[in-house]
């Protein structure tokens, strides 16, 4: 038996942590504050479900807030 550290948890975090007041989503990863705060406690399946939803969430944030305009 080897003493290996646990595998890192997959995360969409890009270290741009600012919550958009209009959508309630992080401007960096598009998760809700509740999802960010509880990420380590979510099951692998729940994290994968959130990850799958993130691309569609981007459209909920005004483009100018993302520096796209």
């Amino acid at each position: 038996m080897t003493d290996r550290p646990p595998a890192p948890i997959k995360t969409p975090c890009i270290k741009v942590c600012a919550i958009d007041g209009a959508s309630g989503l992080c401007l960096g990863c598009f998760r809700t504050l509740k999802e960010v705060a509880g990420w380590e406690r979510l099951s692998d399946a729940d994290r994968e479900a959130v990850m799958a939803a993130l691309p569609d969430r981007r459209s909920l944030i005004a483009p100018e807030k993302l520096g796209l305009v």
Side-chain angles (χ1 to χ4, degrees):
M1 183 174 159
T2 61
D3 290 325
R4 291 185 180 171
I9 295 173
K10 185 177 177 181
T11 177
C13 182
I14 60 167
K15 309 276 191 260
V16 176
C17 304
I19 300 296
D20 172 47
S23 68
L25 300 175
C26 174
L27 296 175
C29 66
F30 312 120
R31 292 180 292 172
T32 65
L33 189 56
K34 183 178 178 181
E35 290 166 344
V36 171
W39 195 249
E40 291 182 8
R41 292 183 301 278
L42 292 177
S43 68
D44 289 341
D46 288 340
R47 282 193 296 269
E48 288 299 322
V50 171
M51 296 280 283
L54 297 179
D56 291 335
R57 291 181 183 183
R58 183 179 180 158
S59 66
L60 301 174
I61 299 174
E64 60 272 10
K65 292 181 181 178
L66 299 172
L68 301 175
V69 177

